[in-house]
Amino acid sequence: MAYPVSPLATPFPALPQIAGVNPHVVRAGYKDWGRCDLTYVTLEEGTSVAGVFTKNLCCSSEVELGRENVKQGLARALVVNAGNSNAFTGYRGREAVKQIMDQVAGHLGCPKEQVFVSSTGVIGVPLPKDKAREGVAKALTAEPCSWEEAANTIATTDTFAKGATATAMVSDTKVTISAIIKGSGMIAPDMATMLGYLFTDAAVDPAFLQECLSAANLATFSCITVDSDTSTSDTVLAFATGKAGNAPLTSFESPGADAFYAAIHDVCRQLAHLVVRDGEGAQKFIAVTVSGAVSDESARKVGLAIANSPLVKTAIAGEDANWGRVVMAVGKAGEPADRDKLSIGFGGTWAALEGLPLADYDEAPVAEHLKGHDVTIEVDLGLGDGLATVWTCDLTHGYISINADYRS
Amino acid sequence: MAYPVSPLATPFPALPQIAGVNPHVVRAGYKDWGRCDLTYVTLEEGTSVAGVFTKNLCCSSEVELGRENVKQGLARALVVNAGNSNAFTGYRGREAVKQIMDQVAGHLGCPKEQVFVSSTGVIGVPLPKDKAREGVAKALTAEPCSWEEAANTIATTDTFAKGATATAMVSDTKVTISAIIKGSGMIAPDMATMLGYLFTDAAVDPAFLQECLSAANLATFSCITVDSDTSTSDTVLAFATGKAGNAPLTSFESPGADAFYAAIHDVCRQLAHLVVRDGEGAQKFIAVTVSGAVSDESARKVGLAIANSPLVKTAIAGEDANWGRVVMAVGKAGEPADRDKLSIGFGGTWAALEGLPLADYDEAPVAEHLKGHDVTIEVDLGLGDGLATVWTCDLTHGYISINADYRS
């Protein structure tokens, strides 16, 4: 964590332990960082798993194997390597992942398909198999660590550790979710963004766990963007150990399923916001709400066109209520829009209504709003009932500084 | 022109006069710049016109009226306002454009549909009708000016004046094209980018002039991007006075049509490159060539995904051959790609071949290449014969500085 802590950082929350889940961290030495870089989480037998993965066609072997293995629904362990994404490394990268799966499965006496591996860091350098083997060997006998240590260990360019928690009542049983995530740059929408892991003691059928995670993903991870660039390694996995002892959730018809889904959604939203709050160079957290679209999906696309516009993001960085750039972004989104029905506001104050700049527009409250760390942009398309909120950060000199010399 | 001249700037070329075309510039005072801001070009009777316009759905009245009026095929005058784009200004903006068309048409005694108007500058402020009226009145009686004065007058955040020329032999007749363009930010692909004007003395049927301009646009203006943001005002118009005296060109079957098209294409390519060379904050001119795609259009889309990636553009700014980011951009493009067939190079040196980093990759010549002002990225997808080159610039601190306080 070589960069100054984001001004939008929030303290790491008190994450409850989850029965049946034990995190461990060790140093494999993938980079010459003086810190742990390998995270190993054990999961008790019978743990359900669900996952969402990057749609990037040049994805890593970790993603390919994870996407395949999640189908059998059970997990016994998670290994996360930091400092090397192992993406675009051909058969050598795939061999390294399989070696880790074999080594852990041999130790736990489980099918290797139940060992999930993620890697994050520079693209194009095969994960060194010797370092991975020694690191995993140490991890297999390490003492459990705190969630905060695990969150720090999966990080790369992140400037603060990120976690979230929620509880739900499933009939009479309280179930708990604890989750960690990493991510700061190469953050783009329409997929599961970056590496995120949710752990719950709830008893949940794998298929229903997947249904919950996919639905929550659509409204959370798929609604954030830092820089419009889609990573080759993005993965979010959810693990459910069943130790809470509730009657297993198998569908939205199960008693307590709605409460459980609400908690999953809440945790995903918290995690997604934390990634944006650590967006590379971010000084402002921006929520863009689009209403009046022809559909929710259309609203989301318009919101993302605004959130991805370098000109909108630099205007917010400059605390400039340049709503003309918002108009531009709406118009280039490729979604239905009618210039003469379009309204735009900042921080709850309309600057333009139905295609016309407001004659009595008072910029003072808007200017005051833009000085803060949390900025909202409101867009009403005036066409239908479609609604969505997307989240992004501003584009600053910090982003350029971080990315013009990341690899060296 | 408040910003330092782009390090990629080229001198304004010697642009030949075009028989039947007379440019004039005056100061209307749209902004408190101490320079001319209204350009007025007269065209002799019988001049053909063709145009391509922004696809932004929130386009200006200038674009709407231009797109409509170009259909009748004839032009007598062009008026360009700089400092105010008049976009997103509702009926008031439309009235200002119609006033200018009426005023010029009344003076020339021509149908108002033959007067073309463009405006460029801040969005959302109606063009002041009184200043426009006085400015046009002065322009109608002004002395003709040079092409360089006209190129300077249509500019806004541009740091240098931009022009291009070419000639072609149409049977025994030499025809000449002189052209000017402005543009630096809010430059995005898939449309006619920014304000560009081509003038030729060739005799060309309007429909064939449109065919030539549309085809050239696809391979030139539609292949550049500075910041992925599509303007609300982009317009490229071509005017042909017929004064060269060649037998009128009516289709690609006409003698000399191929040579004429080659000249139009050449001028469009020159103009498109000049816009990229003045990209906001640009320090490097980047050509991305994509081969081996399933089609030329697919190659163009992959090229634009690379050229629009903030992470690729900041890597080039940092002179970092971070081809992993190129892999990422290929994978997110949404076009057919196979990670294991993908090859990537810089300045003619392969860094990765068929999905694998080169074992004996020598970064020295690549590092040397990246130090220069002109950078090439080569991508081979290994799938088919599709080929395209797109052009962009790097993303630097200069872009942030310019855009975080443009309006104030």
Side-chain angles (χ1 to χ4, degrees), chain A residues 334-394:
Chain A
E335 291 296 309
D338 179 340
R339 187 190 60 194
D340 298 334
K341 291 181 177 169
L342 179 59
S343 301
I344 292 167
F346 296 89
T349 305
W350 292 114
L353 268 182
E354 296 180 1
L356 274 176
L358 240 65
D360 58 348
Y361 169 48
D362 176 11
E363 204 166 313
V366 171
E368 193 55 35
H369 173 72
L370 290 182
K371 286 184 191 156
H373 277 318
D374 283 80
V375 169
T376 67
I377 301 176
E378 296 85 28
V379 173
D380 190 280
L381 301 180
L383 298 176
D385 296 325
L387 176 71
T389 298
V390 306
W391 299 278
T392 190
C393 54
D394 53 345

Side-chain angles (χ1 to χ4, degrees), chain A residues 77 93 113 138 141 277 292 334 383:
Chain A
E113 291 75 23
K138 276 195 278 183
T141 56
R277 286 190 173 277
L383 298 176

Side-chain angles (χ1 to χ4, degrees), chain A residues 39-62:
Chain A
T39 306
Y40 171 57
V41 184
T42 53
L43 305 157
E44 280 200 22
E45 220 163 327
T47 295
S48 298
V49 64
V52 283
F53 299 90
T54 184
K55 291 178 185 160
N56 192 302
L57 289 177
C58 294
C59 66
S60 65
S61 294
E62 283 82 342

Side-chain angles (χ1 to χ4, degrees), chain B residues 99-229:
Chain B
Q99 173 191 292
I100 293 172
M101 290 165 60
D102 286 342
Q103 189 177 1
V104 173
H107 179 80
L108 296 177
C110 70
K112 64 181 190 302
E113 291 76 22
Q114 297 183 14
V115 178
F116 290 80
V117 181
S118 304
S119 301
T120 177
V122 68
I123 295 172
V125 180
L127 192 75
K129 289 203 282 185
D130 50 344
K131 288 184 180 172
R133 185 184 304 278
E134 286 171 35
V136 170
K138 276 196 277 184
L140 295 177
T141 56
E143 290 296 311
C145 69
S146 70
W147 283 120
E148 187 165 6
E149 285 175 285
N152 271 314
T153 302
I154 66 172
T156 56
T157 58
D158 305 62
T159 74
F160 64 94
K162 304 176 187 70
T165 183
T167 59
M169 287 307 293
V170 175
S171 299
D172 297 341
T173 311
K174 178 176 148 186
V175 304
T176 304
I177 305 167
S178 286
I180 57 174
I181 195 163
K182 63 87 53 181
S184 180
M186 209 177 273
I187 301 292
D190 207 21
M191 30 76 69
T193 298
M194 307 314 305
L195 305 184
Y197 307 101
L198 287 75
F199 304 91
T200 178
D201 53 9
V204 194
D205 183 65
F208 181 60
L209 187 61
Q210 183 67 53
E211 189 177 347
C212 289
L213 183 63
S214 296
N217 171 56
L218 261 187
T220 58
F221 300 113
S222 293
C223 288
I224 66 169
T225 179
V226 168
D227 53 12
S228 78
D229 276 341

Side-chain angles (χ1 to χ4, degrees), chain A residues 56-57 59 88 124 227-230 309-311 318 323 325 328 331-332 339 357 363 397 401 403-404 406-407, chain B residues 56-57 59 88 124 227-230 309-311 314 318 323 325 328 331-332 339 357 363 397 401 403-404 406-407:
Chain A
N56 192 302
L57 289 177
C59 66
F88 203 65
D227 53 12
S228 78
D229 275 342
T230 301
S309 160
L311 288 170
W323 52 268
R325 294 184 184 174
M328 174 279 299
K332 76 163 185 170
R339 187 190 60 194
E363 204 166 313
H397 286 290
S401 297
N403 286 302
Y406 169 62
R407 206 185 57 154
Chain B
N56 191 303
L57 289 177
C59 67
F88 203 65
D227 53 12
S228 78
D229 276 341
T230 302
S309 160
L311 288 171
T314 48
W323 51 267
R325 295 184 182 173
M328 174 280 298
K332 76 163 186 170
R339 185 190 61 196
E363 204 167 312
H397 286 289
S401 298
N403 286 302
Y406 170 60
R407 207 184 56 152

